[in-house]
Each structure stands twice: as structure tokens, then as C-alpha cells.
Amino acid sequence: MTKRFDELWQLSTVDLNSKVQERTELMTAYGLMQTLQARSYLEIGASMGGSMVVLGANCTKVVAVDLFEQHSAPTLHLAMKMISAPHVVGVAGDSRDPKTIAKVVAHGPYDVVLIDGGHDYRTVQSDWKTYGPLATKAVFFHDIAQPYVKILWNEIGGGLEIKSPRTTMGFGVRFV
Ligand SMILES: C[S@@+](CC[C@H](N)C(=O)[O-])C[C@H]1O[C@@H](n2cnc3c(N)ncnc32)[C@H](O)[C@@H]1O
């Protein structure tokens, strides 16, 4: 059964105490996951799992990539347990490291890929080039209003923008 957004928002912001998403933006991105009937999901930069528990909630395969730093790793492990998908994998490492890439490719392809890792230009560009081709339905970017993400977003021609006037974040969506 499809999990409702309100319940997932509670998991994200209260149970995981993740505060890095804007509610209406995430709700719209969640709605798009349902419209696309996305069943497999890759998130680059899963952090404490705040967006992953929502966007990956109704998927059967979820792969989470992050540096798994000490402050965030326990919460990310908890978030991975909250997802009922039969196939939930955490990949600890730099998204540009060939070992990380090999692991992510081995679990692919993915209906939807979210790029929300390093927000410097080189990393966003690398993540787009490396992981974008693994998406079969759409690539989501988070923080398209952030300076370096915005540069890359404009360079690749933009796409659907999900932006609340109340934040400086925003999702960008490139359909495959
Ligand atoms: C803005 S946070 C992601 C927030 C998360 N998507 C959410 O909404 O809850 C960015 C994350 O990317 C990770 N990160 C930064 N550079 C990375 C890299 N080169 N490879 C993998 N993860 C990276 C950081 O450790 C951090 O957890």
C-alpha cells in the first residue's frame, strides 16, 4: 500500500530529526515519484535519510550513497531500517571514487536518481555524468537554487523546477 506523505514527513522530521527539506517541495517530489510509479531509487548524499525515507518509501529497491560520517551514520542506518523495501543498500564512500561507482552500478539501473551529495561544481557535475545515465525515468537534483548546483543545472538545460518561494533549495527534475 502506498505510504502517505504526512506519515513519512513525520518519520523524516521527527523520528530522524532531519530538517534539511522544505515540506511542500518534498511533497511535490514525492507526488512525482508516485506519478512516475518509481520502484527503484538511488540517492547520492543520503545524509541522515530525511529525503530517502520519503522518496524511497514506496520503492522495492533503494540504494543510499554517502560518506557515512560518524555524526550522521547511525541515523542513516535507522532510516534504512524504516524503509520496507526488500532491497535496501547503503554504500559508504565518496561518490566520485571508482569503488563507490562500481557498487552503485552493480545495483542499477534505477527508475529515479536523486543527486544531493557534494554541492561544489565538480562533484555535482561528476555525479550527474556518472549516475544520471543509470536513471530510467528521471534524475532529481536537490538545491538547484544553490550557486554551483544552479550553474550545472543551467548548463545542462534545466528542466522541471519544484521551488517554494520560502526557501533557497528547490528540486530540479530531468525526465529521461
Ligand atoms: C545536503 S546533505 C543531503 C541531505 C539529504 N539528501 C536529505 O535530504 O536528508 C549532503 C550529503 O552529501 C554527502 N556528501 C558530500 N559530498 C559527498 C561525496 N563526494 N560523496 C558522497 N556523499 C557526499 C554529505 O556527507 C551529506 O550527508
Side-chain angles (χ1 to χ4, degrees):
M1 196 177 79
T2 302
K3 292 210 174 91
R4 289 179 50 242
F5 179 78
D6 286 345
E7 178 195 336
L8 297 167
W9 179 251
Q10 171 94 4
L11 279 186
S12 172
T13 57
V14 179
D15 299 36
L16 297 173
N17 198 28
S18 174
K19 307 289 185 200
V20 296
Q21 293 288 336
E22 200 281 327
R23 192 177 190 283
T24 58
E25 291 178 358
L26 189 60
M27 186 166 62
T28 306
Y30 170 82
L32 195 49
M33 292 291 285
Q34 310 317 308
T35 304
L36 290 170
Q37 298 187 324
R39 293 292 170 261
S40 52
Y41 175 64
L42 166 66
E43 183 164 323
I44 306 297
S47 190
M48 302 197 310
S51 49
M52 185 189 71
V53 287
V54 175
L55 299 180
N58 297 307
C59 294
T60 55
K61 176 174 73 178
V62 175
V63 174
V65 177
D66 207 290
L67 302 170
F68 278 76
E69 288 174 340
Q70 280 181 356
H71 71 280
S72 56
T75 317
L76 181 50
H77 283 294
L78 177 64
M80 292 193 316
K81 284 187 189 145
M82 287 173 175
I83 294 180
S84 51
H87 189 116
V88 183
V89 178
V91 178
D94 190 310
S95 62
R96 296 160 302 178
D97 184 329
K99 283 183 272 184
T100 306
I101 296 169
K103 287 178 194 162
V104 174
V105 169
H107 290 285
Y110 306 90
D111 288 343
V112 170
V113 172
L114 168 64
I115 296 174
D116 194 16
H119 285 41
D120 60 287
Y121 179 79
R122 281 180 187 277
T123 305
V124 183
Q125 184 193 45
S126 167
D127 288 347
W128 160 248
K129 287 190 171 166
T130 305
Y131 302 110
L134 300 181
T136 59
K137 294 186 176 177
V139 179
F140 292 9
F141 289 85
H142 191 233
D143 288 326
I144 54 165
Q146 291 295 307
Y148 296 114
V149 183
K150 191 176 190 173
I151 292 172
L152 190 272
W153 176 245
N154 289 331
E155 267 178 15
I156 66 175
L160 174 69
E161 298 192 357
I162 302 170
K163 265 203 265 185
S164 157
R166 293 197 298 275
T167 73
T168 52
M169 295 187 278
F171 282 92
V173 181
R174 293 271 301 188
F175 295 100
V176 174

